Amino acid sequence: MDTISYRTEFPNAQQVERNWVVVDATDQVLGRLCAKVAKLLRGKYKPGYSPNVECGDFVIVVNAEKVVLTGKKMTDRIYLNYTGYPGGQRQATPEVLIKKSFNKHIKAGKNPLFLHVMKGMLPKNRLGRRLIENLHVYNGPNHPHEAQNPTVIDINKLK
Protein backbone atom coordinates (compact mmCIF):
# COMPACT_ATOMS: atom_id res chain seq x y z
CA MET A 1 0.00 0.00 0.00
CA ASP A 2 1.34 3.42 -0.94
CA THR A 3 0.84 5.77 2.00
CA ILE A 4 1.77 8.88 0.03
CA SER A 5 -1.50 8.74 -1.89
CA TYR A 6 -3.43 9.16 1.38
CA ARG A 7 -1.52 12.21 2.52
CA THR A 8 -3.52 15.43 2.83
CA GLU A 9 -1.90 18.31 1.00
CA PHE A 10 -2.09 21.72 2.63
CA PRO A 11 -1.39 24.81 0.54
CA ASN A 12 1.36 27.21 1.48
CA ALA A 13 1.69 30.87 0.55
CA GLN A 14 3.73 30.13 -2.59
CA GLN A 15 1.21 27.66 -4.04
CA VAL A 16 -1.87 29.87 -3.66
CA GLU A 17 -3.15 31.73 -6.70
CA ARG A 18 -4.48 35.12 -5.63
CA ASN A 19 -6.67 37.27 -7.88
CA TRP A 20 -7.89 40.86 -7.85
CA VAL A 21 -11.65 41.29 -7.48
CA VAL A 22 -13.86 44.39 -7.78
CA VAL A 23 -17.06 44.59 -5.71
CA ASP A 24 -19.68 47.31 -6.20
CA ALA A 25 -21.20 48.48 -2.90
CA THR A 26 -24.08 50.42 -4.43
CA ASP A 27 -27.29 49.83 -2.40
CA GLN A 28 -25.73 46.96 -0.44
CA VAL A 29 -26.32 46.50 3.29
CA LEU A 30 -23.02 47.20 5.07
CA GLY A 31 -22.84 44.15 7.35
CA ARG A 32 -23.92 41.64 4.71
CA LEU A 33 -21.50 43.09 2.17
CA CYS A 34 -18.59 43.05 4.63
CA ALA A 35 -19.32 39.45 5.64
CA LYS A 36 -18.97 38.32 2.02
CA VAL A 37 -15.89 40.48 1.49
CA ALA A 38 -14.32 38.92 4.61
CA LYS A 39 -14.87 35.47 3.10
CA LEU A 40 -13.21 36.66 -0.12
CA LEU A 41 -10.24 38.05 1.83
CA ARG A 42 -9.80 34.79 3.76
CA GLY A 43 -10.21 32.59 0.67
CA LYS A 44 -13.18 30.61 1.96
CA TYR A 45 -14.74 30.46 -1.51
CA LYS A 46 -11.70 28.57 -2.85
CA PRO A 47 -11.42 24.78 -2.74
CA GLY A 48 -7.87 24.94 -1.33
CA TYR A 49 -8.80 27.01 1.73
CA SER A 50 -6.59 26.67 4.77
CA PRO A 51 -7.32 28.71 7.91
CA ASN A 52 -3.68 29.43 8.72
CA VAL A 53 -2.56 30.55 5.23
CA GLU A 54 -3.18 33.87 3.50
CA CYS A 55 -4.98 32.35 0.51
CA GLY A 56 -7.68 34.96 -0.21
CA ASP A 57 -8.03 37.45 -3.03
CA PHE A 58 -7.27 41.15 -3.18
CA VAL A 59 -10.62 42.96 -2.94
CA ILE A 60 -11.43 46.43 -4.31
CA VAL A 61 -14.71 47.92 -3.09
CA VAL A 62 -16.03 50.80 -5.22
CA ASN A 63 -18.94 53.20 -4.55
CA ALA A 64 -18.48 52.82 -0.80
CA GLU A 65 -20.41 56.02 -0.03
CA LYS A 66 -23.56 54.40 -1.47
CA VAL A 67 -23.67 51.64 1.14
CA VAL A 68 -26.91 51.29 3.12
CA LEU A 69 -27.47 50.77 6.83
CA THR A 70 -30.89 49.49 7.86
CA GLY A 71 -33.06 51.25 10.42
CA LYS A 72 -31.60 54.21 12.32
CA LYS A 73 -28.07 52.78 12.46
CA MET A 74 -26.63 55.63 10.38
CA THR A 75 -27.26 58.10 13.22
CA ASP A 76 -27.80 55.97 16.34
CA ARG A 77 -24.95 53.42 16.19
CA ILE A 78 -21.75 54.51 17.92
CA TYR A 79 -18.26 53.23 17.10
CA LEU A 80 -15.62 53.71 19.78
CA ASN A 81 -11.94 54.40 19.21
CA TYR A 82 -9.20 54.85 21.79
CA THR A 83 -6.14 56.96 20.99
CA GLY A 84 -3.96 55.47 23.73
CA TYR A 85 -3.82 58.62 25.84
CA PRO A 86 -5.77 59.34 29.06
CA GLY A 87 -9.17 60.67 28.12
CA GLY A 88 -8.58 59.63 24.52
CA GLN A 89 -11.75 57.65 23.93
CA ARG A 90 -13.46 58.96 20.79
CA GLN A 91 -16.87 58.03 19.47
CA ALA A 92 -18.34 58.47 16.01
CA THR A 93 -21.47 57.50 14.14
CA PRO A 94 -21.35 55.86 10.68
CA GLU A 95 -22.56 59.16 9.23
CA VAL A 96 -19.47 60.92 10.62
CA LEU A 97 -17.14 58.13 9.47
CA ILE A 98 -18.47 58.30 5.90
CA LYS A 99 -17.91 62.07 5.86
CA LYS A 100 -14.44 61.49 7.29
CA SER A 101 -13.60 59.18 4.38
CA PHE A 102 -13.80 62.19 2.04
CA ASN A 103 -11.08 63.92 4.08
CA LYS A 104 -7.77 64.47 2.27
CA HIS A 105 -5.78 63.20 5.26
CA ILE A 106 -7.29 59.70 5.07
CA LYS A 107 -5.15 57.40 2.93
CA ALA A 108 -6.62 56.55 -0.45
CA GLY A 109 -8.29 53.18 -0.34
CA LYS A 110 -8.84 53.27 3.43
CA ASN A 111 -12.41 54.05 4.43
CA PRO A 112 -12.71 54.27 8.27
CA LEU A 113 -16.22 52.79 8.39
CA PHE A 114 -15.35 49.77 6.23
CA LEU A 115 -12.08 49.19 8.07
CA HIS A 116 -13.82 49.20 11.46
CA VAL A 117 -16.48 46.75 10.32
CA MET A 118 -14.01 44.49 8.47
CA LYS A 119 -11.59 44.28 11.39
CA GLY A 120 -14.39 42.84 13.48
CA MET A 121 -14.99 40.09 10.91
CA LEU A 122 -11.37 38.98 10.45
CA PRO A 123 -9.14 37.03 12.85
CA LYS A 124 -7.60 39.06 15.65
CA ASN A 125 -4.00 37.96 15.03
CA ARG A 126 -1.10 38.44 12.60
CA LEU A 127 -3.06 36.84 9.78
CA GLY A 128 -5.97 39.23 10.25
CA ARG A 129 -3.64 42.23 10.18
CA ARG A 130 -2.14 40.99 6.88
CA LEU A 131 -5.56 40.30 5.38
CA ILE A 132 -6.92 43.79 6.06
CA GLU A 133 -4.11 45.19 3.90
CA ASN A 134 -5.58 43.33 0.90
CA LEU A 135 -8.77 45.41 1.12
CA HIS A 136 -9.00 48.65 -0.88
CA VAL A 137 -12.12 50.81 -0.48
CA TYR A 138 -12.94 53.77 -2.75
CA ASN A 139 -15.89 56.17 -2.59
CA GLY A 140 -16.29 56.62 -6.32
CA PRO A 141 -16.52 54.19 -9.23
CA ASN A 142 -12.84 54.68 -10.15
CA HIS A 143 -9.82 52.97 -8.62
CA PRO A 144 -6.07 53.04 -9.39
CA HIS A 145 -5.68 49.23 -9.68
CA GLU A 146 -6.43 48.81 -13.40
CA ALA A 147 -2.94 47.40 -14.02
CA GLN A 148 -3.82 44.27 -12.00
CA ASN A 149 -6.73 43.43 -14.39
CA PRO A 150 -9.33 42.89 -11.65
CA THR A 151 -12.45 40.88 -12.38
CA VAL A 152 -15.83 42.39 -11.50
CA ILE A 153 -18.04 40.02 -9.52
CA ASP A 154 -21.65 40.25 -8.39
CA ILE A 155 -21.56 40.03 -4.60
CA ASN A 156 -25.23 38.98 -4.48
CA LYS A 157 -24.44 35.63 -6.14
CA LEU A 158 -22.04 34.62 -3.35
CA LYS A 159 -23.37 32.84 -0.28
Side-chain angles (χ1 to χ4, degrees), residues 1 3 5 16 34 39-40 45 67 83 113 120 128 133-134 140 150:
M1 180 193 285
T3 59
S5 64
V16 175
C34 288
K39 281 186 176 183
L40 282 170
Y45 291 114
V67 76
T83 63
L113 178 61
E133 294 175 1
N134 299 335

Side-chain angles (χ1 to χ4, degrees), residues 77-81 90-97 100:
R77 174 160 289 178
I78 295 175
Y79 290 111
L80 297 176
N81 185 25
R90 308 284 187 251
Q91 58 184 1
T93 62
E95 189 175 38
V96 171
L97 291 176
K100 192 185 227 184

Side-chain angles (χ1 to χ4, degrees), residues 4-29:
I4 295 178
S5 64
Y6 296 107
R7 184 175 295 166
T8 303
E9 293 292 328
F10 293 103
N12 58 21
Q14 291 80 26
Q15 295 171 342
V16 175
E17 181 183 336
R18 303 176 69 203
N19 304 320
W20 284 79
V21 176
V22 176
V23 174
D24 190 7
T26 304
D27 298 329
Q28 297 287 330
V29 179

Side-chain angles (χ1 to χ4, degrees), residues 3 9 16 23 66 69 73 92 97-98 102 105 125-126:
T3 59
E9 293 292 328
V16 175
V23 174
K66 296 179 183 175
L69 277 87
K73 293 181 191 139
L97 291 176
I98 287 175
F102 289 106
H105 301 292
N125 53 23
R126 283 179 280 185

Side-chain angles (χ1 to χ4, degrees), residues 112-129:
L113 178 61
F114 269 85
L115 286 179
H116 196 284
V117 173
M118 289 301 302
K119 280 183 182 177
M121 295 187 182
L122 291 174
K124 281 70 173 178
N125 53 23
R126 283 179 280 185
L127 180 63
R129 289 189 293 272

